[in-house]
Amino acid sequence: MSHAVTAADLRNAVRNVPDFPKPGIQFKDITPVLADARLFAGAIDLMTDGYAPGSVDVVVGIDARGFIFAAAAAQKLKCGFVPVRKAGKLPYQTIEQSYDLEYGSNTVAMHVDAVKPGARVLLLDDLLATGGTSAAALALLQKLGANVLEARFLIELKFLDGRANLPGVPVHSLIAY
Ligand code: AMP
């Protein structure tokens, strides 16, 4: 009999790739989790734990790996999925938010009508690092008047203290480094 998937099982499956995409970065490769039916389903179960269908209006996922988890979570919670994309990708009218990187900046975008005011939103991404990306996503959601219930991540790099950039929203992760 196979036991329920635990966060430890997921941690064991995440592959550490040193020096990708540049020297000094330890890339957390989640593709082994996705490739395993049991682990992928277990990751979605854990990422939606505590939420039942009807309790969330939309799951919002962040470009690009966040889409994979958010779309599957939305199916499980029988609710909608909304993408936060890198700027320049969405076809209709957008709102945009820039954030600083170590060198330069990034911009994320959402369609202006993607989330209705008051909508109950679960924000998902694969990994919380500095929190810059999810803080920008959160700013867009707040601009649209969303009720962000929680931000959840498969992985959190605790030493970067990304959650400090997400004040006022409960933050949870399954695997911490
Ligand atoms: P940040 O804005 O610094 O929190 O970065 C979060 C985004 O960058 C997420 O969408 C991650 O997919 C990606 N990311 C940052 N650091 C890593 C890492 N060490 N391994 C894998 N993905 C990462």
Side-chain angles (χ1 to χ4, degrees), residues 23-37:
I25 303 286
Q26 169 105 241
F27 195 87
K28 303 297 183 195
D29 176 17
I30 51 118
T31 62
V33 172
L34 303 177
D36 183 300

Side-chain angles (χ1 to χ4, degrees), residues 68-126:
I68 300 163
F69 295 98
Q75 288 280 295
K76 177 151 196 242
L77 297 178
K78 302 192 188 309
C79 69
F81 160 77
V82 166
V84 170
R85 292 218 66 181
K86 291 176 179 127
K89 301 285 188 186
L90 290 169
Y92 184 60
Q93 287 172 49
T94 58
I95 55 168
E96 303 196 344
Q97 179 72 43
S98 296
Y99 59 99
D100 291 332
L101 300 172
E102 199 177 344
Y103 299 102
S105 70
N106 262 351
T107 304
V108 291
M110 291 179 73
H111 276 148
V112 286
D113 58 355
V115 173
K116 292 187 183 68
R120 296 162 301 169
V121 166
L122 180 60
L123 178 63
L124 296 189
D125 201 0
D126 67 325

